[in-house]
Short mmCIF file of all heavy atoms in Angstrom, two decimals:
data_model
loop_
_atom_site.label_atom_id
_atom_site.label_comp_id
_atom_site.label_asym_id
_atom_site.label_seq_id
_atom_site.Cartn_x
_atom_site.Cartn_y
_atom_site.Cartn_z
N ALA A 14 -43.36 -29.58 0.97
CA ALA A 14 -43.46 -29.57 2.43
C ALA A 14 -42.18 -28.98 2.99
O ALA A 14 -41.08 -29.39 2.59
CB ALA A 14 -43.66 -30.99 2.95
N HIS A 15 -42.32 -28.02 3.89
CA HIS A 15 -41.17 -27.34 4.48
C HIS A 15 -41.18 -27.53 6.00
O HIS A 15 -42.11 -27.09 6.67
CB HIS A 15 -41.20 -25.83 4.18
CG HIS A 15 -41.15 -25.49 2.73
ND1 HIS A 15 -39.97 -25.30 2.05
CD2 HIS A 15 -42.15 -25.31 1.82
CE1 HIS A 15 -40.23 -25.00 0.79
NE2 HIS A 15 -41.55 -25.00 0.63
N ASN A 16 -40.14 -28.18 6.51
CA ASN A 16 -39.94 -28.28 7.96
C ASN A 16 -41.16 -28.79 8.72
O ASN A 16 -41.51 -28.27 9.79
CB ASN A 16 -39.50 -26.92 8.54
CG ASN A 16 -38.19 -26.45 7.95
OD1 ASN A 16 -37.23 -27.22 7.88
ND2 ASN A 16 -38.14 -25.20 7.51
N LEU A 17 -41.80 -29.82 8.18
CA LEU A 17 -42.98 -30.38 8.84
C LEU A 17 -42.58 -31.12 10.11
O LEU A 17 -41.65 -31.93 10.11
CB LEU A 17 -43.70 -31.37 7.92
CG LEU A 17 -44.46 -30.83 6.72
CD1 LEU A 17 -45.26 -31.96 6.08
CD2 LEU A 17 -45.38 -29.69 7.10
N ARG A 18 -43.32 -30.86 11.18
CA ARG A 18 -43.10 -31.60 12.42
C ARG A 18 -44.41 -31.74 13.17
O ARG A 18 -45.13 -30.77 13.36
CB ARG A 18 -42.08 -30.92 13.32
CG ARG A 18 -41.65 -31.78 14.51
CD ARG A 18 -40.57 -31.08 15.34
NE ARG A 18 -39.95 -31.99 16.29
CZ ARG A 18 -40.45 -32.24 17.53
NH1 ARG A 18 -41.54 -31.62 17.94
NH2 ARG A 18 -39.82 -33.10 18.33
N ILE A 19 -44.72 -32.98 13.57
CA ILE A 19 -45.86 -33.26 14.43
C ILE A 19 -45.36 -34.11 15.58
O ILE A 19 -44.66 -35.11 15.37
CB ILE A 19 -46.98 -34.01 13.67
CG1 ILE A 19 -47.55 -33.12 12.56
CG2 ILE A 19 -48.09 -34.44 14.61
CD1 ILE A 19 -48.60 -33.81 11.72
N ALA A 20 -45.68 -33.72 16.79
CA ALA A 20 -45.25 -34.45 17.98
C ALA A 20 -46.45 -34.85 18.82
O ALA A 20 -47.47 -34.15 18.86
CB ALA A 20 -44.28 -33.60 18.80
N ARG A 21 -46.31 -35.98 19.49
CA ARG A 21 -47.31 -36.44 20.45
C ARG A 21 -46.58 -36.83 21.73
O ARG A 21 -45.64 -37.61 21.70
CB ARG A 21 -48.09 -37.64 19.91
CG ARG A 21 -48.91 -37.33 18.66
CD ARG A 21 -50.12 -36.45 18.99
NE ARG A 21 -50.94 -36.21 17.79
CZ ARG A 21 -50.80 -35.19 16.96
NH1 ARG A 21 -49.82 -34.30 17.20
NH2 ARG A 21 -51.59 -35.03 15.93
N ASN A 22 -47.02 -36.25 22.85
CA ASN A 22 -46.38 -36.51 24.15
C ASN A 22 -44.88 -36.23 24.09
O ASN A 22 -44.07 -36.95 24.66
CB ASN A 22 -46.63 -37.95 24.58
CG ASN A 22 -48.11 -38.27 24.74
OD1 ASN A 22 -48.87 -37.45 25.27
ND2 ASN A 22 -48.52 -39.43 24.27
N GLY A 23 -44.54 -35.16 23.39
CA GLY A 23 -43.16 -34.73 23.33
C GLY A 23 -42.29 -35.48 22.35
O GLY A 23 -41.11 -35.16 22.20
N LYS A 24 -42.86 -36.47 21.65
CA LYS A 24 -42.08 -37.27 20.70
C LYS A 24 -42.54 -36.99 19.28
O LYS A 24 -43.73 -37.02 18.98
CB LYS A 24 -42.23 -38.76 21.01
CG LYS A 24 -41.44 -39.65 20.08
CD LYS A 24 -41.63 -41.12 20.43
CE LYS A 24 -40.85 -42.01 19.48
NZ LYS A 24 -41.03 -43.46 19.79
N ALA A 25 -41.59 -36.74 18.39
CA ALA A 25 -41.92 -36.46 17.00
C ALA A 25 -42.42 -37.74 16.31
O ALA A 25 -41.75 -38.77 16.36
CB ALA A 25 -40.71 -35.92 16.26
N ILE A 26 -43.61 -37.66 15.71
CA ILE A 26 -44.13 -38.79 14.94
C ILE A 26 -44.09 -38.50 13.44
O ILE A 26 -44.28 -39.41 12.63
CB ILE A 26 -45.56 -39.17 15.38
CG1 ILE A 26 -46.51 -37.97 15.22
CG2 ILE A 26 -45.56 -39.69 16.80
CD1 ILE A 26 -47.96 -38.32 15.49
N LEU A 27 -43.82 -37.26 13.09
CA LEU A 27 -43.58 -36.89 11.69
C LEU A 27 -42.59 -35.74 11.68
O LEU A 27 -42.78 -34.72 12.33
CB LEU A 27 -44.87 -36.46 11.00
CG LEU A 27 -44.73 -36.14 9.50
CD1 LEU A 27 -44.49 -37.41 8.69
CD2 LEU A 27 -45.98 -35.42 8.96
N GLU A 28 -41.50 -35.92 10.93
CA GLU A 28 -40.46 -34.89 10.85
C GLU A 28 -39.88 -34.93 9.44
O GLU A 28 -39.11 -35.82 9.10
CB GLU A 28 -39.39 -35.14 11.90
CG GLU A 28 -38.60 -33.90 12.26
CD GLU A 28 -37.95 -34.01 13.63
OE1 GLU A 28 -37.86 -35.12 14.17
OE2 GLU A 28 -37.53 -32.95 14.14
N VAL A 29 -40.30 -33.97 8.63
CA VAL A 29 -39.89 -33.92 7.22
C VAL A 29 -39.32 -32.54 6.94
O VAL A 29 -40.07 -31.58 6.75
CB VAL A 29 -41.09 -34.21 6.28
CG1 VAL A 29 -40.65 -34.15 4.83
CG2 VAL A 29 -41.71 -35.57 6.60
N PRO A 30 -37.99 -32.41 6.91
CA PRO A 30 -37.39 -31.09 6.65
C PRO A 30 -37.81 -30.50 5.31
O PRO A 30 -38.10 -29.30 5.22
CB PRO A 30 -35.89 -31.39 6.69
CG PRO A 30 -35.77 -32.60 7.54
CD PRO A 30 -36.98 -33.42 7.23
N TYR A 31 -37.82 -31.34 4.26
CA TYR A 31 -38.20 -30.82 2.94
C TYR A 31 -38.61 -31.98 2.04
O TYR A 31 -37.95 -33.03 2.01
CB TYR A 31 -37.05 -30.05 2.29
CG TYR A 31 -37.42 -29.44 0.96
CD1 TYR A 31 -38.35 -28.41 0.88
CD2 TYR A 31 -36.85 -29.90 -0.22
CE1 TYR A 31 -38.70 -27.85 -0.35
CE2 TYR A 31 -37.19 -29.34 -1.45
CZ TYR A 31 -38.12 -28.32 -1.50
OH TYR A 31 -38.46 -27.77 -2.71
N LEU A 32 -39.70 -31.79 1.34
CA LEU A 32 -40.15 -32.74 0.33
C LEU A 32 -40.77 -31.95 -0.80
O LEU A 32 -41.62 -31.09 -0.57
CB LEU A 32 -41.18 -33.71 0.92
CG LEU A 32 -41.76 -34.75 -0.06
CD1 LEU A 32 -40.68 -35.72 -0.52
CD2 LEU A 32 -42.92 -35.50 0.59
#
Side-chain angles (χ1 to χ4, degrees):
H15 299 270
N16 298 313
L17 289 188
R18 190 177 192 274
I19 295 177
R21 296 289 183 269
N22 300 318
K24 181 180 179 180
I26 58 174
L27 184 71
E28 203 157 15
V29 179
Y31 183 67
L32 178 66

